[in-house]
Amino acid sequence: MLQFIYSQLIRLLLPFILFRLWWQGRQAPELRRNWQQRLGFVPRAGGTVVWVHAVSVGETIAAAPMVRRLLARNPSITILMTAMTDTGLTQAMKMFGDQVQYAYAPYDTPGSIRRFLDRANPRILVIMETEIWPNMIRQCRSRRVPVFLINARLSERSARGYERIKGLVAPIMRSISWVAAQAEKDAERFRRIGVAASKVAVTGSVKFDVDIPVAVRQASLELKASFPTRTVWIAGSTHEGEDAQLLAAHRQLLNTHPEALLILVPRHPERFESVTDKVRKQAFSLARRSLGDDPSGADVYLGDTMGELMMLYGASDVAFVGGSLIERGGHNPLEPAGWGIPVISGPYVFNFETIYQRLLDDRGVTMVNDADELYRHLTVLFDDADERHASGQRAFSVVDKNKGALDRVVDGIIERV
């Protein structure tokens, strides 16, 4: 009954969802492109299709090493990557070109899912992290399409929320074939909300298997060479409410280290212009990557392009990971750690609690609460190259010793293909 009520509500909301998509498309025309795919009208796929669903940019990046490994292990399979956002698909296309197929994920109405499955005909569905869509999962099970939750994480807050609607959630959880959980805490929470214990394994996080392609390494070296005398810190994946604090810390840093350069990378492209205005209003000299500006003489270099954050981390000496000075829950600290540079974060990291705990255990990350604390720690790192190197190596060693989840996940998928 709850499943029926859910499906009817989604159907009733669909016209409003489509109207919102059209409205947002006035400013971002790419949102209107291929909108029919959101109703399940995707190109027909042939061969053995592995459907990989990643909600947006972060999950898409996390899926990349897995997709590369799957294609290397079985070149005959067809990878169909879906995302809910245009930025997620753009990121996937930038990474894989014509190696895989792409589509927007269908909205979770019974009809949209049915049309999608009829056309894509997947052999298996691999969902990155925890995207739980009732109709998507239940219809896959009814067609004997195994559903894997990979790199799965579930915070205590989310688990309590699911427990409040356990009548709806538990049947969905029983339809999942395998949960590859990041940590035992995540595994226990999945069991609490209805996944059979035999279907839950603790594989670790595939994000520890940091994959930096040769082309990305080369691009970072070329960018770094354009400001050879500057010491660079990057603030990656920032959100509204953080930029002012980061710019305040940079203003203090410039007073003592005039050679300092901040690479500022907003998480969402719709914020590029507003962040540009903030930087200019505070009288910083600005260079924009999207315009091809020379960053060598700027105070702030705005990373206002998509899909280049990993490369920009590689061109930096110190990294601050955004989404953590506000109650957003943080972003992936392993991307800068994989480059062997010092990692700094704010206190709000509940989206990556296991990863951050491992970094904290080995002093691979420094947590700060505000702009003043950030400035003070940046000063320490800018003044002491040896400490900068040691801090980066501690972060890298955490990545190195926790690798291996990717092999376990790929083995599990290949067995079902």
Side-chain angles (χ1 to χ4, degrees):
M1 179 58 71
L2 287 174
Q3 175 80 24
F4 174 78
I5 293 171
Y6 165 81
S7 295
Q8 297 311 309
L9 285 173
I10 291 291
R11 282 173 168 145
L12 289 171
L13 288 171
L14 186 58
F16 300 98
I17 295 170
L18 291 172
F19 177 77
R20 181 172 177 269
L21 183 70
W22 174 84
W23 186 263
Q24 292 176 328
R26 296 177 312 146
Q27 301 297 325
E30 62 274 7
L31 290 175
R32 296 181 181 177
R33 200 170 298 128
N34 296 322
W35 66 270
Q36 299 95 331
Q37 293 179 0
R38 300 177 188 269
L39 299 179
F41 294 102
V42 296
R44 293 190 180 274
T48 301
V49 176
V50 176
W51 175 13
V52 177
H53 175 60
V55 61
S56 193
V57 174
E59 294 80 9
T60 301
I61 292 171
M66 179 190 73
V67 170
R68 292 190 184 99
R69 195 75 59 86
L70 286 169
L71 289 171
R73 292 271 296 272
N74 189 345
S76 66
I77 62 174
T78 298
I79 301 289
L80 172 59
M81 295 197 71
T82 63
M84 291 293 184
T85 66
D86 62 293
T87 52
L89 282 189
T90 299
Q91 177 68 50
M93 292 174 184
K94 187 161 190 172
M95 291 189 298
F96 296 110
D98 59 2
Q99 291 180 283
V100 307
Q101 297 183 18
Y102 312 92
Y104 283 111
Y107 291 136
D108 201 43
T109 65
S112 298
I113 299 296
R114 184 176 61 253
R115 286 187 289 270
F116 183 95
L117 292 174
D118 286 343
R119 287 163 171 76
N121 192 27
R123 180 72 61 85
I124 186 173
L125 166 57
V126 178
I127 300 175
M128 295 303 299
E129 301 195 2
T130 313
E131 276 286 293
I132 299 172
W133 294 103
N135 286 313
M136 178 188 290
I137 293 172
R138 292 291 291 274
Q139 286 201 37
C140 280
R141 183 184 182 184
S142 70
R143 296 182 185 224
R144 300 184 182 278
V145 176
V147 178
F148 286 6
L149 290 187
I150 299 302
N151 213 43
R153 57 185 171 89
L154 191 64
S155 68
E156 182 61 30
R157 179 191 299 182
S158 296
R160 287 196 297 265
Y162 284 128
E163 285 180 309
R164 286 194 286 269
I165 52 171
K166 200 165 184 178
L168 173 63
V169 171
I172 306 305
M173 294 296 102
R174 288 194 292 269
S175 297
I176 294 174
S177 305
W178 189 45
V179 175
Q182 293 188 21
E184 182 56 42
K185 286 182 180 179
D186 300 298
E188 186 274 329
R189 291 165 188 156
F190 277 107
R191 296 184 197 109
R192 271 169 46 195
I193 64 173
V195 182
S198 61
K199 295 181 178 179
V200 182
V202 179
T203 60
S205 174
V206 300
K207 291 185 177 181
F208 282 107
D209 292 85
V210 177
D211 178 31
I212 306 177
V214 173
V216 173
R217 291 185 181 276
Q218 183 60 37
S220 71
L221 286 172
E222 291 173 2
L223 178 59
K224 184 76 172 173
S226 68
F227 35 76
T229 62
R230 311 288 298 273
T231 306
V232 182
W233 73 286
I234 182 171
S237 294
T238 66
H239 288 255
E240 182 67 38
E242 291 185 305
D243 305 296
Q245 298 181 70
L246 296 166
L247 291 172
H250 191 52
R251 176 66 70 196
Q252 294 182 76
L253 188 64
L254 286 173
N255 290 334
T256 55
H257 297 81
E259 84 289 357
L261 171 64
L262 166 61
I263 301 179
L264 184 58
V265 189
R267 177 71 173 180
H268 299 114
E270 59 268 25
R271 296 187 58 247
F272 289 162
E273 295 305 322
S274 65
V275 174
T276 296
D277 291 341
K278 281 187 176 70
V279 173
R280 286 177 172 156
K281 284 177 181 177
Q282 296 191 32
F284 290 103
S285 58
L286 173 69
R288 298 184 63 168
R289 182 157 181 81
S290 65
L291 301 179
D293 294 341
D294 179 6
S296 60
D299 298 324
V300 177
Y301 187 36
L302 187 67
D304 54 348
T305 55
M306 293 302 299
E308 293 195 310
L309 179 57
M310 182 62 100
M311 183 277 292
L312 293 172
Y313 277 133
S316 306
D317 300 297
V318 179
F320 171 85
V321 181
S324 60
L325 282 174
I326 57 171
E327 292 191 48
R328 171 63 177 75
H331 291 292
N332 182 11
L334 299 178
E335 293 176 358
W339 284 102
I341 62 175
V343 180
I344 309 172
S345 172
Y348 301 106
V349 295
F350 50 82
N351 285 337
F352 293 84
E353 60 179 347
T354 300
I355 288 172
Y356 270 99
Q357 190 56 58
R358 292 186 183 175
L359 286 166
L360 283 167
D361 289 344
D362 287 5
R363 297 188 303 126
V365 64
T366 299
M367 314 293 277
V368 298
N369 291 303
D370 53 35
D372 287 337
E373 286 189 16
L374 175 58
Y375 159 69
R376 288 196 290 272
H377 188 59
L378 286 170
T379 299
V380 170
L381 294 173
F382 271 56
D383 284 341
D384 190 339
D386 290 339
E387 173 56 25
R388 198 162 64 235
H389 175 76
S391 178
Q393 286 304 299
R394 289 194 298 270
F396 180 80
S397 70
V398 175
V399 174
D400 196 48
K401 77 178 184 180
N402 284 282
K403 289 182 176 181
L406 185 60
D407 287 329
R408 292 188 285 274
V409 164
V410 170
D411 288 342
I413 295 170
I414 290 292
E415 287 176 7
R416 294 296 191 110
V417 173

